[in-house]
Amino acid sequence: MARKKVTIIGAGATGGAMAQRLIERDICDVVLQDDPQFAGTMHFGKALDESQAAAWEGFSTRITATDGWEDTANSDVVICTAGAPRKPGMTREELLNGNAAIVRAKVSAAAKASPNAVVVIFANPMDAMCHVAKEASGFPRERIIGQGGALDSARYRYFVSDALGVSPADVHGFVIGGHTDTTMVPVVSQTRIGGVPLTDLLPADKIAALVQRAMRGGAEIGELLKTGSAYYAPSAATIAMVESILLDQRRLIPCSVYHQGEYGLKDIFSGTVCQLGAGGIQRTFELPLTDDEKQRVIAAAEATRELVKLITS
Ligand SMILES: NC(=O)c1ccc[n+]([C@@H]2O[C@H](COP(=O)([O-])OP(=O)(O)OC[C@H]3O[C@@H](n4cnc5c(N)ncnc54)[C@H](O)[C@@H]3O)[C@@H](O)[C@H]2O)c1
């Protein structure tokens, strides 16, 4: 059986970290696509360096780099990380039009080379970039998926686990809505630890503080790193999604999906819980929300709708 193929567009901080996580799982071949004008020969260097880890890590993954598209042909999954990251103090929205042009060009070329691929959009502002990718590729909603909620939920689960002294793996909670500091919606009402509601385990002010910290999770790391933005947790979140798609694991992961009635929303990318497997999004789940959570989910989608209107073609 031919090995599956994943193309990672953009071999920068996040693309490089994703490549390492994916390669060492040994579940597919990996192509690093980048633009010499911005990356120089970095993607070739990263591909060669990681290839030379095989003897000790024990993987058979073939990893190559390319400036073009031929080598990416017939990828099963394409991840688009190319774009400028936030600088300290910068919002994701400020990245809008520069990254829209990059995503449009990259996804359009990738879709031509891999017409059956599932595309995972990562560059920010991510929900708006999913609209650009959908238009550029013409792909159906099952095959354009935004990564935001997987990361935001991981941060939320980490802060809850840290406050309670339990494993993050045993914190069951989702962050849905938008992938920005102000529009993400950690669904506190449905968060369970060992089946026990979070609201029974921590006082409201403590929960509010950790929710706030999760929402500013990316900004906090950017301030600490000084240059660029986070890449360890973002790459872990993305590769969990990609693995579920490649291996048809059917995991339930919050992702940005083109809403078709979920939470009463239509024709807008926003985060909700998705079943990811062969072919991309197999099903979506609507969480039971409090009135306040529902209002915030709707407001998040409306904020993305406004942002999409600002995209110039
Ligand atoms: N969705 C998420 O959860 C999440 C998390 C972290 C970062 N991000 C976003 O991912 C993107 C990449 O972040 P990073 O830290 O890897 O950045 P980086 O600067 O390390 O890498 C950026 C990559 O984009 C390429 N690039 C830059 N400008 C380009 C252009 N004009 N045309 C073509 N290619 C270009 C570069 O060659 C490089 O490979 C940013 O938009 C960042 O905000 C998203």
Side-chain angles (χ1 to χ4, degrees):
M1 197 169 72
R3 284 172 72 92
K4 303 234 177 197
K5 190 200 275 192
V6 174
T7 290
I8 301 176
I9 304 174
T14 59
M18 285 176 202
Q20 183 184 358
R21 292 193 188 283
L22 192 55
I23 288 157
E24 292 177 2
R25 276 171 161 82
D26 206 5
I27 55 174
C28 60
D29 288 334
V30 174
V31 181
L32 286 180
Q33 200 284 339
D34 215 321
D35 189 326
Q37 196 186 334
F38 303 99
T41 53
M42 172 182 67
H43 41 317
F44 290 93
K46 287 195 180 184
L48 187 59
D49 190 9
E50 183 60 21
S51 298
Q52 292 166 3
W56 293 117
E57 289 294 331
F59 57 79
S60 318
T61 306
R62 284 180 297 259
I63 164 157
T64 52
T66 182
D67 296 335
W69 295 99
E70 208 177 310
D71 294 347
T72 72
N74 300 318
S75 292
D76 296 280
V77 176
V78 171
I79 310 168
C80 185
T81 77
R86 280 194 294 174
K87 298 196 171 62
M90 195 179 185
T91 66
R92 290 181 175 98
E93 292 86 338
E94 286 175 275
L95 295 173
L96 184 68
N97 269 310
N99 282 356
I102 299 171
V103 169
R104 192 177 294 118
K106 293 285 189 181
V107 171
S108 157
K112 282 193 187 85
S114 301
N116 299 314
V118 176
V119 175
V120 177
I121 295 299
F122 184 82
N124 279 316
M126 181 277 294
D127 298 292
M129 292 304 105
C130 288
H131 282 267
V132 174
K134 189 169 189 305
E135 202 177 289
S137 64
F139 285 4
R141 91 158 185 161
E142 292 72 27
R143 295 198 284 120
I144 297 285
I145 311 173
Q147 190 294 112
L151 169 63
D152 301 330
S153 301
R155 287 179 171 147
Y156 173 60
R157 289 168 61 186
Y158 167 71
F159 290 129
V160 171
S161 74
D162 197 41
L164 291 170
V166 301
S167 166
D170 294 320
V171 174
H172 297 286
F174 296 109
V175 177
I176 60 173
H179 179 58
T180 78
D181 303 9
T182 51
T183 60
M184 68 180 75
V185 184
V187 184
V188 171
S189 68
Q190 295 303 325
T191 303
R192 301 281 183 276
I193 296 91
V196 181
L198 174 62
T199 48
D200 289 358
L201 296 172
L202 285 176
D205 61 330
K206 273 229 158 103
I207 295 175
L210 62 86
V211 160
Q212 197 48 39
R213 195 165 175 205
M215 291 176 73
R216 284 201 77 257
E220 182 178 0
I221 291 177
E223 285 155 15
L224 293 167
L225 292 178
K226 306 286 186 219
T227 53
S229 55
Y231 48 94
Y232 290 127
S235 58
T238 309
I239 298 310
M241 290 166 59
V242 171
E243 182 175 55
S244 190
I245 294 165
L246 289 178
L247 303 184
D248 194 28
Q249 289 175 330
R250 293 157 288 135
R251 297 198 61 188
L252 307 187
I253 300 179
C255 307
S256 189
V257 57
Y258 195 62
H259 278 46
Q260 289 300 318
E262 294 87 350
Y263 305 105
L265 295 164
K266 217 166 164 359
D267 301 339
I268 188 76
F269 274 93
S270 197
T272 196
V273 177
C274 298
Q275 177 178 314
L276 295 184
I281 292 174
Q282 299 178 328
R283 185 178 172 193
T284 58
F285 287 74
E286 259 185 79
L287 298 176
L289 302 176
T290 63
D291 287 346
D292 174 63
E293 288 164 348
K294 174 109 191 260
Q295 287 308 316
R296 286 162 56 209
V297 164
I298 291 167
E302 292 315 320
T304 298
R305 220 185 278 284
E306 290 308 307
L307 205 55
V308 170
K309 286 185 195 156
L310 302 177
I311 298 174
T312 52
S313 50

PDB file of all heavy atoms in Angstrom, residues 156 172 174 186-192 196-199 207 211 287-291 293-294 296:
ATOM      1  N   TYR A 156      -6.781  25.400  27.563  1.00  0.00           N
ATOM      2  CA  TYR A 156      -7.817  25.420  28.603  1.00  0.00           C
ATOM      3  C   TYR A 156      -7.696  24.174  29.491  1.00  0.00           C
ATOM      4  O   TYR A 156      -7.685  24.261  30.721  1.00  0.00           O
ATOM      5  CB  TYR A 156      -9.173  25.483  27.894  1.00  0.00           C
ATOM      6  CG  TYR A 156     -10.392  25.339  28.758  1.00  0.00           C
ATOM      7  CD1 TYR A 156     -10.653  26.236  29.792  1.00  0.00           C
ATOM      8  CD2 TYR A 156     -11.318  24.314  28.528  1.00  0.00           C
ATOM      9  CE1 TYR A 156     -11.801  26.105  30.576  1.00  0.00           C
ATOM     10  CE2 TYR A 156     -12.461  24.188  29.289  1.00  0.00           C
ATOM     11  CZ  TYR A 156     -12.696  25.082  30.315  1.00  0.00           C
ATOM     12  OH  TYR A 156     -13.819  24.954  31.078  1.00  0.00           O
ATOM     13  N   HIS A 172     -12.073  16.902  30.383  1.00  0.00           N
ATOM     14  CA  HIS A 172     -12.862  16.870  29.150  1.00  0.00           C
ATOM     15  C   HIS A 172     -13.564  18.210  29.004  1.00  0.00           C
ATOM     16  O   HIS A 172     -14.496  18.518  29.741  1.00  0.00           O
ATOM     17  CB  HIS A 172     -13.850  15.701  29.179  1.00  0.00           C
ATOM     18  CG  HIS A 172     -13.124  14.391  29.229  1.00  0.00           C
ATOM     19  ND1 HIS A 172     -12.487  13.857  28.142  1.00  0.00           N
ATOM     20  CD2 HIS A 172     -12.860  13.561  30.260  1.00  0.00           C
ATOM     21  CE1 HIS A 172     -11.878  12.740  28.492  1.00  0.00           C
ATOM     22  NE2 HIS A 172     -12.082  12.539  29.777  1.00  0.00           N
ATOM     23  N   PHE A 174     -14.081  21.683  25.959  1.00  0.00           N
ATOM     24  CA  PHE A 174     -13.880  22.160  24.598  1.00  0.00           C
ATOM     25  C   PHE A 174     -13.917  23.687  24.562  1.00  0.00           C
ATOM     26  O   PHE A 174     -14.705  24.306  25.272  1.00  0.00           O
ATOM     27  CB  PHE A 174     -14.987  21.642  23.676  1.00  0.00           C
ATOM     28  CG  PHE A 174     -15.002  20.142  23.532  1.00  0.00           C
ATOM     29  CD1 PHE A 174     -16.012  19.382  24.119  1.00  0.00           C
ATOM     30  CD2 PHE A 174     -14.016  19.488  22.812  1.00  0.00           C
ATOM     31  CE1 PHE A 174     -16.029  18.005  23.974  1.00  0.00           C
ATOM     32  CE2 PHE A 174     -14.030  18.104  22.661  1.00  0.00           C
ATOM     33  CZ  PHE A 174     -15.039  17.365  23.252  1.00  0.00           C
ATOM     34  N   PRO A 186     -14.591  29.090  25.813  1.00  0.00           N
ATOM     35  CA  PRO A 186     -14.373  27.873  26.597  1.00  0.00           C
ATOM     36  C   PRO A 186     -15.722  27.461  27.219  1.00  0.00           C
ATOM     37  O   PRO A 186     -16.352  28.264  27.910  1.00  0.00           O
ATOM     38  CB  PRO A 186     -13.379  28.326  27.681  1.00  0.00           C
ATOM     39  CG  PRO A 186     -12.761  29.596  27.149  1.00  0.00           C
ATOM     40  CD  PRO A 186     -13.855  30.244  26.356  1.00  0.00           C
ATOM     41  N   VAL A 187     -16.150  26.250  26.914  1.00  0.00           N
ATOM     42  CA  VAL A 187     -17.497  25.850  27.354  1.00  0.00           C
ATOM     43  C   VAL A 187     -17.408  25.260  28.769  1.00  0.00           C
ATOM     44  O   VAL A 187     -17.327  24.048  28.971  1.00  0.00           O
ATOM     45  CB  VAL A 187     -18.130  24.871  26.343  1.00  0.00           C
ATOM     46  CG1 VAL A 187     -19.560  24.536  26.770  1.00  0.00           C
ATOM     47  CG2 VAL A 187     -18.136  25.490  24.935  1.00  0.00           C
ATOM     48  N   VAL A 188     -17.437  26.181  29.728  1.00  0.00           N
ATOM     49  CA  VAL A 188     -17.283  25.810  31.141  1.00  0.00           C
ATOM     50  C   VAL A 188     -18.434  24.913  31.581  1.00  0.00           C
ATOM     51  O   VAL A 188     -18.234  23.930  32.303  1.00  0.00           O
ATOM     52  CB  VAL A 188     -17.228  27.093  32.009  1.00  0.00           C
ATOM     53  CG1 VAL A 188     -17.297  26.752  33.493  1.00  0.00           C
ATOM     54  CG2 VAL A 188     -15.965  27.889  31.692  1.00  0.00           C
ATOM     55  N   SER A 189     -19.634  25.211  31.121  1.00  0.00           N
ATOM     56  CA  SER A 189     -20.812  24.470  31.612  1.00  0.00           C
ATOM     57  C   SER A 189     -20.738  22.981  31.282  1.00  0.00           C
ATOM     58  O   SER A 189     -21.361  22.165  31.952  1.00  0.00           O
ATOM     59  CB  SER A 189     -22.094  25.060  31.010  1.00  0.00           C
ATOM     60  OG  SER A 189     -22.134  24.815  29.613  1.00  0.00           O
ATOM     61  N   GLN A 190     -19.966  22.629  30.239  1.00  0.00           N
ATOM     62  CA  GLN A 190     -19.892  21.212  29.836  1.00  0.00           C
ATOM     63  C   GLN A 190     -18.530  20.590  30.135  1.00  0.00           C
ATOM     64  O   GLN A 190     -18.217  19.518  29.633  1.00  0.00           O
ATOM     65  CB  GLN A 190     -20.205  21.076  28.335  1.00  0.00           C
ATOM     66  CG  GLN A 190     -21.614  21.467  27.958  1.00  0.00           C
ATOM     67  CD  GLN A 190     -22.655  20.651  28.721  1.00  0.00           C
ATOM     68  OE1 GLN A 190     -22.462  19.471  29.002  1.00  0.00           O
ATOM     69  NE2 GLN A 190     -23.750  21.303  29.083  1.00  0.00           N
ATOM     70  N   THR A 191     -17.715  21.276  30.936  1.00  0.00           N
ATOM     71  CA  THR A 191     -16.387  20.729  31.251  1.00  0.00           C
ATOM     72  C   THR A 191     -16.509  19.737  32.408  1.00  0.00           C
ATOM     73  O   THR A 191     -17.123  20.037  33.437  1.00  0.00           O
ATOM     74  CB  THR A 191     -15.418  21.874  31.622  1.00  0.00           C
ATOM     75  OG1 THR A 191     -15.387  22.796  30.527  1.00  0.00           O
ATOM     76  CG2 THR A 191     -14.020  21.346  31.875  1.00  0.00           C
ATOM     77  N   ARG A 192     -15.949  18.556  32.198  1.00  0.00           N
ATOM     78  CA  ARG A 192     -16.048  17.476  33.198  1.00  0.00           C
ATOM     79  C   ARG A 192     -14.646  16.945  33.534  1.00  0.00           C
ATOM     80  O   ARG A 192     -13.803  16.798  32.652  1.00  0.00           O
ATOM     81  CB  ARG A 192     -16.874  16.301  32.662  1.00  0.00           C
ATOM     82  CG  ARG A 192     -18.306  16.663  32.271  1.00  0.00           C
ATOM     83  CD  ARG A 192     -19.205  16.752  33.501  1.00  0.00           C
ATOM     84  NE  ARG A 192     -20.587  17.037  33.138  1.00  0.00           N
ATOM     85  CZ  ARG A 192     -21.079  18.250  32.908  1.00  0.00           C
ATOM     86  NH1 ARG A 192     -20.290  19.307  32.982  1.00  0.00           N
ATOM     87  NH2 ARG A 192     -22.352  18.411  32.608  1.00  0.00           N
ATOM     88  N   VAL A 196     -17.169  14.717  36.773  1.00  0.00           N
ATOM     89  CA  VAL A 196     -17.692  15.737  37.695  1.00  0.00           C
ATOM     90  C   VAL A 196     -17.624  17.111  37.014  1.00  0.00           C
ATOM     91  O   VAL A 196     -16.592  17.467  36.437  1.00  0.00           O
ATOM     92  CB  VAL A 196     -16.835  15.776  38.996  1.00  0.00           C
ATOM     93  CG1 VAL A 196     -17.381  16.817  39.974  1.00  0.00           C
ATOM     94  CG2 VAL A 196     -16.786  14.393  39.626  1.00  0.00           C
ATOM     95  N   PRO A 197     -18.706  17.891  37.076  1.00  0.00           N
ATOM     96  CA  PRO A 197     -18.650  19.222  36.451  1.00  0.00           C
ATOM     97  C   PRO A 197     -17.551  20.091  37.081  1.00  0.00           C
ATOM     98  O   PRO A 197     -17.391  20.100  38.308  1.00  0.00           O
ATOM     99  CB  PRO A 197     -20.030  19.815  36.749  1.00  0.00           C
ATOM    100  CG  PRO A 197     -20.916  18.650  37.033  1.00  0.00           C
ATOM    101  CD  PRO A 197     -20.033  17.589  37.643  1.00  0.00           C
ATOM    102  N   LEU A 198     -16.835  20.831  36.231  1.00  0.00           N
ATOM    103  CA  LEU A 198     -15.793  21.745  36.715  1.00  0.00           C
ATOM    104  C   LEU A 198     -16.371  22.713  37.750  1.00  0.00           C
ATOM    105  O   LEU A 198     -15.716  23.055  38.737  1.00  0.00           O
ATOM    106  CB  LEU A 198     -15.202  22.524  35.526  1.00  0.00           C
ATOM    107  CG  LEU A 198     -14.207  23.630  35.864  1.00  0.00           C
ATOM    108  CD1 LEU A 198     -12.965  23.081  36.572  1.00  0.00           C
ATOM    109  CD2 LEU A 198     -13.792  24.387  34.601  1.00  0.00           C
ATOM    110  N   THR A 199     -17.606  23.138  37.513  1.00  0.00           N
ATOM    111  CA  THR A 199     -18.223  24.132  38.397  1.00  0.00           C
ATOM    112  C   THR A 199     -18.447  23.580  39.818  1.00  0.00           C
ATOM    113  O   THR A 199     -18.671  24.343  40.748  1.00  0.00           O
ATOM    114  CB  THR A 199     -19.554  24.617  37.798  1.00  0.00           C
ATOM    115  OG1 THR A 199     -20.305  23.478  37.395  1.00  0.00           O
ATOM    116  CG2 THR A 199     -19.329  25.524  36.597  1.00  0.00           C
ATOM    117  N   ILE A 207     -12.359  29.807  38.208  1.00  0.00           N
ATOM    118  CA  ILE A 207     -12.665  29.358  36.835  1.00  0.00           C
ATOM    119  C   ILE A 207     -12.533  30.543  35.886  1.00  0.00           C
ATOM    120  O   ILE A 207     -11.926  30.434  34.814  1.00  0.00           O
ATOM    121  CB  ILE A 207     -14.079  28.741  36.747  1.00  0.00           C
ATOM    122  CG1 ILE A 207     -14.142  27.459  37.582  1.00  0.00           C
ATOM    123  CG2 ILE A 207     -14.467  28.458  35.300  1.00  0.00           C
ATOM    124  CD1 ILE A 207     -15.522  26.817  37.663  1.00  0.00           C
ATOM    125  N   VAL A 211     -10.058  30.689  32.671  1.00  0.00           N
ATOM    126  CA  VAL A 211     -10.662  30.897  31.349  1.00  0.00           C
ATOM    127  C   VAL A 211      -9.985  32.082  30.673  1.00  0.00           C
ATOM    128  O   VAL A 211      -9.597  32.041  29.505  1.00  0.00           O
ATOM    129  CB  VAL A 211     -12.186  31.137  31.474  1.00  0.00           C
ATOM    130  CG1 VAL A 211     -12.751  31.823  30.252  1.00  0.00           C
ATOM    131  CG2 VAL A 211     -12.902  29.815  31.713  1.00  0.00           C
ATOM    132  N   LEU A 287     -22.707  21.415  21.132  1.00  0.00           N
ATOM    133  CA  LEU A 287     -22.739  21.227  22.585  1.00  0.00           C
ATOM    134  C   LEU A 287     -23.972  21.910  23.165  1.00  0.00           C
ATOM    135  O   LEU A 287     -24.376  22.969  22.672  1.00  0.00           O
ATOM    136  CB  LEU A 287     -21.496  21.861  23.228  1.00  0.00           C
ATOM    137  CG  LEU A 287     -20.145  21.297  22.810  1.00  0.00           C
ATOM    138  CD1 LEU A 287     -19.022  22.087  23.461  1.00  0.00           C
ATOM    139  CD2 LEU A 287     -20.045  19.840  23.218  1.00  0.00           C
ATOM    140  N   PRO A 288     -24.570  21.338  24.216  1.00  0.00           N
ATOM    141  CA  PRO A 288     -25.623  22.080  24.906  1.00  0.00           C
ATOM    142  C   PRO A 288     -24.977  23.258  25.648  1.00  0.00           C
ATOM    143  O   PRO A 288     -24.042  23.062  26.413  1.00  0.00           O
ATOM    144  CB  PRO A 288     -26.210  21.055  25.893  1.00  0.00           C
ATOM    145  CG  PRO A 288     -25.274  19.911  25.928  1.00  0.00           C
ATOM    146  CD  PRO A 288     -24.274  20.040  24.823  1.00  0.00           C
ATOM    147  N   LEU A 289     -25.415  24.463  25.361  1.00  0.00           N
ATOM    148  CA  LEU A 289     -24.767  25.658  25.913  1.00  0.00           C
ATOM    149  C   LEU A 289     -25.713  26.421  26.833  1.00  0.00           C
ATOM    150  O   LEU A 289     -26.936  26.358  26.663  1.00  0.00           O
ATOM    151  CB  LEU A 289     -24.338  26.594  24.771  1.00  0.00           C
ATOM    152  CG  LEU A 289     -23.392  26.037  23.718  1.00  0.00           C
ATOM    153  CD1 LEU A 289     -23.156  27.078  22.614  1.00  0.00           C
ATOM    154  CD2 LEU A 289     -22.065  25.616  24.335  1.00  0.00           C
ATOM    155  N   THR A 290     -25.143  27.183  27.747  1.00  0.00           N
ATOM    156  CA  THR A 290     -25.952  28.141  28.511  1.00  0.00           C
ATOM    157  C   THR A 290     -26.308  29.296  27.557  1.00  0.00           C
ATOM    158  O   THR A 290     -25.688  29.439  26.481  1.00  0.00           O
ATOM    159  CB  THR A 290     -25.159  28.722  29.700  1.00  0.00           C
ATOM    160  OG1 THR A 290     -24.043  29.447  29.165  1.00  0.00           O
ATOM    161  CG2 THR A 290     -24.662  27.635  30.646  1.00  0.00           C
ATOM    162  N   ASP A 291     -27.250  30.138  27.953  1.00  0.00           N
ATOM    163  CA  ASP A 291     -27.630  31.272  27.099  1.00  0.00           C
ATOM    164  C   ASP A 291     -26.417  32.164  26.821  1.00  0.00           C
ATOM    165  O   ASP A 291     -26.217  32.621  25.698  1.00  0.00           O
ATOM    166  CB  ASP A 291     -28.736  32.107  27.754  1.00  0.00           C
ATOM    167  CG  ASP A 291     -30.069  31.366  27.709  1.00  0.00           C
ATOM    168  OD1 ASP A 291     -30.170  30.371  26.951  1.00  0.00           O
ATOM    169  OD2 ASP A 291     -30.987  31.779  28.439  1.00  0.00           O
ATOM    170  N   GLU A 293     -23.186  31.367  26.846  1.00  0.00           N
ATOM    171  CA  GLU A 293     -22.240  30.705  25.936  1.00  0.00           C
ATOM    172  C   GLU A 293     -22.758  30.759  24.497  1.00  0.00           C
ATOM    173  O   GLU A 293     -22.002  31.027  23.559  1.00  0.00           O
ATOM    174  CB  GLU A 293     -22.017  29.248  26.377  1.00  0.00           C
ATOM    175  CG  GLU A 293     -21.183  29.121  27.651  1.00  0.00           C
ATOM    176  CD  GLU A 293     -21.266  27.754  28.336  1.00  0.00           C
ATOM    177  OE1 GLU A 293     -22.152  26.931  27.973  1.00  0.00           O
ATOM    178  OE2 GLU A 293     -20.470  27.508  29.252  1.00  0.00           O
ATOM    179  N   LYS A 294     -24.059  30.534  24.350  1.00  0.00           N
ATOM    180  CA  LYS A 294     -24.652  30.549  22.985  1.00  0.00           C
ATOM    181  C   LYS A 294     -24.513  31.947  22.366  1.00  0.00           C
ATOM    182  O   LYS A 294     -24.130  32.082  21.200  1.00  0.00           O
ATOM    183  CB  LYS A 294     -26.126  30.136  23.108  1.00  0.00           C
ATOM    184  CG  LYS A 294     -26.914  30.236  21.829  1.00  0.00           C
ATOM    185  CD  LYS A 294     -27.260  28.879  21.252  1.00  0.00           C
ATOM    186  CE  LYS A 294     -27.819  28.959  19.857  1.00  0.00           C
ATOM    187  NZ  LYS A 294     -29.222  28.857  19.743  1.00  0.00           N
ATOM    188  N   ARG A 296     -22.275  34.119  22.998  1.00  0.00           N
ATOM    189  CA  ARG A 296     -20.861  34.369  22.647  1.00  0.00           C
ATOM    190  C   ARG A 296     -20.436  33.603  21.394  1.00  0.00           C
ATOM    191  O   ARG A 296     -19.635  34.092  20.602  1.00  0.00           O
ATOM    192  CB  ARG A 296     -19.968  34.054  23.853  1.00  0.00           C
ATOM    193  CG  ARG A 296     -20.108  35.164  24.920  1.00  0.00           C
ATOM    194  CD  ARG A 296     -19.618  34.733  26.276  1.00  0.00           C
ATOM    195  NE  ARG A 296     -18.245  34.279  26.226  1.00  0.00           N
ATOM    196  CZ  ARG A 296     -17.739  33.356  27.055  1.00  0.00           C
ATOM    197  NH1 ARG A 296     -18.492  32.811  27.976  1.00  0.00           N
ATOM    198  NH2 ARG A 296     -16.480  33.012  26.963  1.00  0.00           N
TER     199      ARG A 296
END
